[in-house]
Amino acid sequence: MRRARTAIGVSPIIKEIVQKKALATRLRVKEIIYVGMLAIYKLDENPWQELADRVHQMQVNGEI
């Protein structure tokens, strides 16, 4: 969980997304992170890889 919190603290984009979801769902930030982790496990390999590639490209572009 420390790495997730570090990513939230470092990336304004990630922080904004997580905070908006937390407010919209009335969950705490750590609960939103856990929901996201559970959602990842439900993905099939192909959609998961597409999302991973997209996030990697965001990292390369300096977006996150």
Side-chain angles (χ1 to χ4, degrees):
M1 187 63 81
R2 286 186 182 173
R3 287 188 181 182
R5 287 185 182 159
T6 300
I8 290 169
V10 171
S11 173
I13 293 171
I14 295 172
K15 183 177 181 178
E16 181 182 344
I17 291 168
V18 170
Q19 285 179 337
K20 282 182 180 178
K21 284 293 184 187
L23 287 172
T25 58
R26 298 182 186 175
L27 295 174
R28 293 180 296 179
V29 169
K30 70 179 183 177
E31 293 169 326
I32 293 297
I33 293 168
Y34 188 65
V35 168
M37 291 169 51
L38 292 174
I40 288 169
Y41 286 118
K42 287 190 168 210
L43 290 174
D44 290 330
E45 184 62 30
N46 194 36
W48 188 93
Q49 189 60 51
E50 289 173 15
L51 287 173
D53 292 343
R54 180 175 160 199
V55 170
H56 176 71
Q57 191 59 48
M58 291 174 74
Q59 176 69 30
V60 169
N61 294 339
E63 297 174 47
I64 58 172

